[in-house]
Amino acid sequence: MSKDFSVDHLDVKAFAQAGATLTGNDPLSHYPRLAQEAQGPADGLSVRWRAEGELHTEADGVSHVWLYLQVDADLPLVCQRCLQADPMHLQVERSFRFVADEATAEALDDEAEEDLLALSRDFDLHQLIEDELLMEVPLVPRHDSCPVDLPTQSSSEEFEQAAAEKTNPFAMLQGLRKNGAPD
């Protein structure tokens, strides 16, 4: 028997018990917080994702609800070094184990290698996708190698004059050496 699952109101346990899979190819505009990060035209850009549920039973008979998430998207950003367009490819592959409630997730968080979330019958998968992509956006976007040459000198006459007038902090040591101070 096939069951339809709602992406915005997902019953995570039923999804995992069914071993179900959901996929999507949503426009970037469907994720407003992520679209707000875009620093260029976002028309035609999409977020591609796949979510799989699994009920994993341990050797001691305890069952755990898992959600595996794969997401990729392209986000137009601006390199903060050269100020040119820097289309950034964002990719997420994460595994989440669901526990009874927020308190349990918080208590087990330090010792667990996987990400822990509170079990819900009304889970918003779109929000999880957007949260995970937002964590992948760099704080300071920049190219690995900028496509344009970057100026390495100042064009300010005041800056150049101040740099020329500044005395070398080690000039005094050089003066001591000239006056016969021991090495």
Side-chain angles (χ1 to χ4, degrees), residues 82 84 145-150:
C82 69
Q84 300 293 314
S145 177
C146 290
V148 296
D149 290 332
L150 301 174

Side-chain angles (χ1 to χ4, degrees), residues 133-173:
L133 284 171
L134 283 168
M135 287 192 289
E136 293 298 315
V137 175
L139 291 174
V140 181
R142 43 179 200 225
H143 293 107
D144 291 332
S145 177
C146 290
V148 296
D149 290 332
L150 301 174
T152 57
Q153 65 186 34
S154 169
S155 61
S156 168
E157 289 180 26
E158 291 176 6
F159 179 79
E160 296 296 331
Q161 183 181 0
E165 293 174 1
K166 189 174 180 181
T167 59
N168 183 340
F170 297 103
M172 186 178 84
L173 294 175

Side-chain angles (χ1 to χ4, degrees), residues 12-176:
V12 180
K13 187 172 184 178
F15 184 69
Q17 286 172 329
T21 300
L22 288 170
T23 59
N25 190 359
D26 303 323
L28 184 60
S29 60
H30 190 82
Y31 302 91
R33 293 178 297 145
L34 185 62
Q36 188 175 358
E37 294 291 323
Q39 299 170 350
D43 297 337
L45 295 179
S46 62
V47 174
R48 297 155 306 279
W49 58 269
R50 177 182 176 88
E52 297 178 35
E54 180 182 317
L55 193 61
H56 187 263
T57 305
E58 300 290 325
D60 60 1
V62 176
S63 295
H64 296 282
V65 173
W66 284 84
L67 177 75
Y68 305 103
L69 183 64
Q70 296 175 323
V71 185
D72 70 288
D74 294 308
L75 188 65
L77 298 174
V78 172
C79 173
Q80 296 302 298
R81 192 176 0 204
C82 69
L83 302 178
Q84 300 293 314
D86 184 13
M88 181 72 59
H89 181 73
L90 305 175
Q91 191 169 5
V92 173
E93 287 191 34
R94 295 243 164 68
S95 299
F96 301 92
R97 181 166 58 101
F98 285 82
V99 294
D101 52 37
E102 290 288 339
T104 305
E106 190 175 320
L108 298 175
D109 189 45
D110 288 338
E111 63 190 50
E113 291 181 23
E114 67 277 3
D115 291 318
L116 300 175
L117 295 173
L119 194 59
S120 173
R121 297 181 80 182
D122 191 28
F123 188 78
D124 188 344
L125 187 56
H126 278 136
Q127 184 176 340
L128 178 65
I129 291 168
E130 186 172 35
D131 289 346
E132 293 300 316
L133 284 171
L134 283 168
M135 287 192 289
E136 293 298 315
V137 175
L139 291 174
V140 181
R142 43 179 200 225
H143 293 107
D144 291 332
S145 177
C146 290
V148 296
D149 290 332
L150 301 174
T152 57
Q153 65 186 34
S154 169
S155 61
S156 168
E157 289 180 26
E158 291 176 6
F159 179 79
E160 296 296 331
Q161 183 181 0
E165 293 174 1
K166 189 174 180 181
T167 59
N168 183 340
F170 297 103
M172 186 178 84
L173 294 175
Q174 187 175 9
L176 289 174

